[in-house]
Amino acid sequence: MRLRRLWRPTPLKRHYDVIIIGGGVHGLATAYYLSRDFGITDVAVLESQYLGFGGSGRNTAIVRANQRTPENVRLYDEGLKLWRVLTDELDFNLMFFNCGSLLLGHSEASVGAFRMAASTHNFMGVHSELLDPRQCAEVIPGLDISDRPAFPIHAGLYHPPGGIVRHDAVVWGLAKGAAAHGVHIHQGCEVRGIDTDRGRVTGVRTSLGDIGCNRLGIMAGGYSSAIAAMLGIELPIHPLTIQAMVTHPLKPFLHHVFSSTAYHVYANQTLKGEIATGAHMDPQVNYTTDATAYYLKHQAEALVDLMPALRGVRFMRIWAGLADMTPDMAPIMEGHLGYDGLFLDAGWGYFGFKSGPVAGKYMAEYMATGERPEILEAFQLKRFLENRYSGETAAVMKYGHWD
Amino acid sequence: MTFRLTCPVCGKRDVYEFTFGGQDRGPRPAQEGLSAEEHFRWVQFRMIPGGWEGGEGGGVREGDRAAPQEEWWYHGQGCGVWFRTTRDPGTNREVEGGGGG
Amino acid sequence: MVADAGAKTGGGLADRGSPDPSVGRPDCRRPPSHGRLPEGRLPPGPTCRVDLSQPLEFSFLGRPVTGFAGDTVASALYASGVRIFGRSLKYHRPRGLYSMEGESSNTLMAIDKVPNECAETTELKAGMSVRAQNVRGDPQTDRFAFIDRFDRMMPAGFYYRLFHRPYRLWPLFQNGLRRMAGTGVLDPRRGLEEGIRGEGGIRVEGGIEVEGARMGSDVRAERYLNAEVAIVGGGAAGMSAALAAAERGLRVCLFERRPWLGGHLVWRVRDFEGEPLHRRAEKLAVRLRAAENVKVFTSSPVTGVWGENLVTGFTSGAEGDLFRECHWECRAKTVVVAAGCMERPLVFNHNDRPGVMQVGAVWRLARTYAVLPGGVAIFSVGDDLSLEAAADLADLGVKIRAVADAREAVRQDAALVTALEERGIPVLAGWAASRVMGRKQVKGCELGALKGEASRRFGCDLVVANAGMQPRIGALATVGARLAYCGHTHTYQPVELPGGVFAAGSMTGLRDPRAIEASGRLAGERAVESCGGSAPGPDESLPEPAPGCDIRHGPDIGRGAKAFVDFDEDGTYKNVVESAAQGFDVPELAKRFGGFGLGPGQYRVAGQNLAMIMADLRGDPVETATPTTVRPPLVPPSLATLAGPGHDVHKRTPLHGELAARGAIFRRAGPWLRPRYFSEDTSCRKEIRNVRRNVGILDSSPLGKFRIFGPDALKALQRVYISDMRKAPRGHCKYSAMCNDMGQLVDDGVVIREGENEYYFTTSSGRAGSTVEWFRYHTRYDRWDYNLVNLTDVLGSLNIAGPNARRVLERVTDDEVSNEVLPYLGCRRITVADGVEARCLRLGFVGELSFELHVPSSYCQFVWDLVVEAGADFGIRPFGLEAQYCLRAEKGHVIIGAESEARVTLTDIGMGWLWDCGDTAAKKVGAPALRACEKQPGRMRLVGFRVDEGSGSPRDGAVVVDGAKIVGYVCTTRRSEALGWQYGMAMVREGVAVRGGRTHIRQEETPGRGESCSATVVPTPFYDPGGRRLRA
């Protein structure tokens, strides 16, 4: 097998038509589609660390389309169908493991919520099923469906089209594809400021010098609000630390993704055999990626309550990443944000990985044409100024969306 | 990373004893003449300057360090007091002497 | 001040496993009982920890094996002749003992059906059943061993380039890959069948056991410690630090991962200053155990040092302990990290063959476990300690044919070289192992000069290899120390430490025992200084850190296709080269692309080697080599131990026992356990009918109950409630709601003015816990003078509801409760029986005549008994939450969360009438949002509907559709016996929300099996729209 670099090192030019801040799934996907579908190849992706440093390389790789509202289901469903397409297009195996996912409900109320979700999905042609506890245990042997757990299982929402994707492969594959179409990828290039002139974006100041541009995309995941702050732009986005961990590798026994609302847990078994599992997040805004002893312990409590067989399993590694949370758990995809030529694709919170390619596809269209694609109508910033939440979460917030 | 906050009543306690109350934005604006947009900006829109120190696997980052911010915290698993303190989102630590507001 | 003062000998946690406290070690010099040395064993020496007079029977692959008390599983297996402990992940290569520290997956085994147990460090117990992992058939003849020949087809990242063309074949490949992956086997049903989940459990608090332990069960305990100095590592440096701090009166906790103190001194017999090194360690241990203020935790690996010096780890229970493992967390003012070193693996061809071991493993097999590690050995090392080991092992009878030392001759300890030469062992300076011969175990070894072409081959059955020492940097890295490559020691050394953190001992590069102890003392004194004590005295003059070894890999590495950088995922030198060639030329990228340091060994095995090799490949100076990020846990804890004895906390009402006796089926409601049903009939027909026609009783104790008083109480109420509280008359329940800043409903309840600046109010049970927080948050700038008291747990609440409610109530009180004295929404204090003071609220949540009695919790049972007895003639019966849910829904009363959500405001759900827009000066929470959205088009609204007869029977969550669009969903719907039809409430887009409009409802729980029905939008309440029954 001949080994070649997946993307060529390229000289840093002093001006690009399009600059994208963030070498993660969203930024690379946008660059890929800009170059492939719109012939815009004078594009640079700037990554302050290394490709996939942020959320793209830190998530638990779960993909699914069982969102709550039709606007979101539609977008994620299209995204879910892209893994196979991209594997072919990029000639890079993204390792989509279409194992299906099971969301567990732990109350009578969750049954209604799941029925609402299943009815919405199936009406839209997205496969979902409402399961009773016994069926849940058939799908995932080892779940304790008795009354013993603190939160007994009442129902499941089974979603066969979901699964897991090798997250790093997506980053590398998109980098390969974008580079093949002429996109420049610059790692270790940290943006420190943004230049504007008479209401237009004109370039960025970076650790490697100033670079001019006509259009600028902020797609920096958890760091997006920090980038926006360089222009004094306030956003309803809070960067929060979210943690994940893996156990020692085991022979396959968990054949689906499962997650639980009451326990704030999601778990899947990677192709390598580890149980990759994530927890909820600390509420205070911050830009660190520090893990905590607290969550290691709480995650263990939750997992052994749900699946007692995991008691003897050991956690091998815990890490953290940033999630850019919005009040309604839906993203902000916006063009000409305060300045001509300034585009923002952020606020994905928990869902930044699964949405990456499809968001890139439509952001590319938006950046190329200047016209907002119809599918992105629901994700405008102004909804927060009009108090029109997307409904992706039903939960009512307390003081702010961090709680 | 686990850190502690200084409750003005109870002293330094683990952060998990507290509820986060957000950036200090000053008192509730007067309702008269407040536009809907102003209100919702006041409620939800924040500027959180970035910068993060000691990026993993890379060198130490310089410049554009996050600015420590004044915040509200509630000692729910303690004395039940809301208090102001200063914390740096870049380090996720209370700034020395920040407690007790 | 110590959280568990006095627990030094209690709970079995401290000072474990030391029948002979002077040496922390049982007397193991007894000869075997039958007088003959068991096969594979050496005569026990002064440092031996195995008792050869106490055999332990266990099984390996179902075959009986004998070990001895004090063995680890690995030492016993090795002594019995086992060399192949498992097979590697990718190539299924045979793997054996390597470090005796559990640093890689090589010796992870299934012990008593628990996968991935570390055989190298797990203490042997009689009756254990041990199995090899990742093996098809016998580990000797593993059926997948052939894969080893196909490495050319598997370059780094090969799986990204294969298997996806054509795509339809990918699932096949994927399932094949999946089956090949993973090591341990877990039966997911295990815990369910055997019931091994944490029954019982203890928590030690302040030295007191909180819950009784059950001996023999799988008890996991937890402990929370405080210390002024926490010490990571119980070697000479750690002990010296502890003594220095303790002598100055500080409280010290010392954590040591091995079962004994002394670090690497405990198996060294070399004379130093007139006594063997192990004696030196033992003396320190004796002093330490006698010291005041020191708690010593052995068998206690540290899993991480976290922010602000939180040290976590776990302790393995020993004989006599009441737990199997105990998780602990120690909040320390200062931390001394004296974690010692591990050996840096030497990368050379076939460096993973069973029989290739690190020096410490071989040395400890011989000296600690009395096991003969091999007959003929070759050493390829890079540190003086290894030279000492070679001489010692030669004295124990291992024939050492040569010692290659990767360092130049000038860097070696000349005395040690002489000692080896005196024993006839050639020392080859500037040489290292280049390859190992033998397929299943070592048969020979080739040594080569690092400069030049010279090489020599030796026959041997043991290759002892390392690339020098590397510090155990984990604790320093996780606490946030900045580490940099040190060109002298060729290790990563801290260049900046967080506040209160100090490093000491051999990890700082020191090798001289006196220097190690002195560095410990200094660290201890620095900790004292940092805790406010005086500064340490002048530095003792210490020997400098010894120069280290910078070898990257063995000579003549070639492609390095079987020169392993990472054992866990079979990451080879070749794979590093391939990763770099594909653009993954920094360690963090290569780690992910090629799979280095992602397995059980984490950064420990691969970290430094990967960084150094990558620097070479890039042509960068080695000083720039950046290792991959260290991530906790530093030692993997089991989920059971982390989870602890169980922390499920729920509240029970004063009537819990009574309700349970009456057949209540409980559900969690917020923090409470509450009766949902009183029979298996989840439609609750009988409960509902009894309330509608007769009288029912509900335990509503979780209802939030508060008293607010003080000069500014009214201001606070005006702020958080959306209605005008100035208008709350005395003796009257004013119903109102609280909103958040988005105008969303967060709570509802009644407010009663009870006096001048004195109010009593109720909240929904789910909000009771956060009401005080909420009031104080929204008045935090105002410096208002009011007191808010949460009475929720102090007062119980009984709801008597139904047409006969008054007649029941009249039988238990002499006070007047007529419609005139106590009308609908009235409130008065009454006396129940002869002396129980109660607040009696006349409310109508369920739509019938009803009284809510708020009585002290301690009287709840008494009042309940009275009421139930009084109501017996009327057929009073308890009803639960589901019945209440249906009864109120028939009235169109909203429950937060059921008929409200984040997209809708108070106005949207039809409760806008509560909003008082007059008092803008009060700055009511939610008022600006309500004003903004009041007339906004296109919002969602809550509407009532009636399912068209015969068209179907939708359930909660069915969606409302308009053509091809989903326009809403059903919040709640039930068939009502009282109404005779199915009613419901739905959240729908404006436009559907037109009275009299027809809607289409569809539910599809399973694809293809959808049901549709039609419904008509109707006004609420559905039941008793005029509210006559409430006012009866």
Side-chain angles (χ1 to χ4, degrees), chain C residues 84 283 356 387 435 461 470 476 501 517 564 683 771 776 833 856 934 1010:
Chain C
I84 299 179
K283 282 183 175 172
V356 178
L387 302 184
R435 58 180 293 128
D461 61 1
Q470 65 182 34
L476 288 177
V501 177
E517 286 166 27
F564 290 87
S683 75
T771 296
R776 291 188 179 157
E934 194 179 18

Side-chain angles (χ1 to χ4, degrees), chain C residues 702-713:
Chain C
L703 190 77
K705 296 171 283 289
F706 294 85
R707 176 184 172 218
I708 184 169
F709 61 98
D712 297 318

Side-chain angles (χ1 to χ4, degrees), chain A residues 28-292:
Chain A
L28 291 165
T30 305
Y32 171 69
Y33 285 108
L34 272 173
S35 58
R36 175 185 170 275
D37 291 357
F38 299 96
I40 299 173
T41 58
D42 188 18
V43 178
V45 176
L46 308 184
E47 167 56 50
S48 76
Q49 305 276 326
Y50 53 83
L51 292 188
F53 166 83
S56 298
R58 293 165 190 263
N59 60 82
T60 42
I62 298 167
V63 298
R64 54 185 177 82
N66 56 352
Q67 304 301 107
R68 185 165 183 263
T69 61
E71 298 79 11
N72 283 274
V73 172
R74 186 179 154 203
L75 186 73
Y76 285 85
D77 182 40
E78 187 174 340
L80 196 48
K81 289 172 177 146
L82 279 178
W83 303 115
R84 163 193 284 257
V85 176
L86 281 172
T87 296
D88 269 341
E89 276 179 24
L90 302 169
D91 188 17
F92 201 72
N93 194 343
L94 306 181
M95 309 254 178
F96 175 35
F97 176 28
N98 178 206
C99 57
S101 72
L102 178 67
L103 175 64
L104 299 168
H106 303 266
S107 65
E108 269 87 355
S110 71
V111 182
F114 286 0
R115 187 177 292 113
M116 187 262 226
S119 300
T120 302
H121 303 156
N122 289 317
F123 188 76
M124 298 179 72
V126 175
H127 187 157
S128 267
E129 283 179 55
L130 180 66
L131 305 187
D132 65 25
R134 195 169 294 279
Q135 290 170 310
C136 292
E138 281 165 18
V139 172
I140 300 193
L143 284 179
D144 190 342
I145 54 167
S146 73
D147 285 341
R148 186 207 54 86
F151 300 98
I153 294 169
H154 274 253
L157 181 66
Y158 181 48
H159 176 55
I164 54 175
V165 171
R166 175 89 179 102
H167 53 9
D168 289 330
V170 179
V171 173
W172 302 331
L174 286 169
K176 175 182 181 234
H181 285 100
V183 170
H184 285 196
I185 294 166
H186 299 293
Q187 302 184 77
C189 180
E190 181 189 338
V191 172
R192 291 176 175 166
I194 298 172
D195 286 325
T196 59
D197 182 28
R198 278 162 288 175
R200 278 203 66 83
V201 194
T202 56
V204 293
R205 299 178 181 187
T206 79
S207 53
L208 304 180
D210 297 354
I211 314 170
C213 67
N214 305 327
R215 286 167 279 190
L216 180 66
I218 301 175
M219 301 175 185
Y223 307 97
S224 297
S225 34
I227 305 284
M230 292 173 185
L231 286 172
I233 295 173
E234 288 183 332
L235 292 171
I237 293 180
H238 277 67
L240 301 181
T241 306
I242 181 164
Q243 303 182 35
M245 51 219 95
V246 290
T247 66
H248 274 165
L250 296 155
K251 290 290 177 199
F253 71 95
L254 177 60
H255 306 292
H256 311 273
V257 177
F258 77 85
S259 51
S260 156
T261 47
Y263 286 97
H264 298 286
V265 159
Y266 39 87
N268 68 79
Q269 189 169 17
T270 67
L271 286 176
K272 283 199 288 191
E274 309 134 332
I275 307 299
T277 174
H280 62 179
M281 43 181 72
D282 276 343
Q284 70 276 3
V285 300
N286 80 96
Y287 289 111
T288 73
T289 51
D290 297 331
T292 65

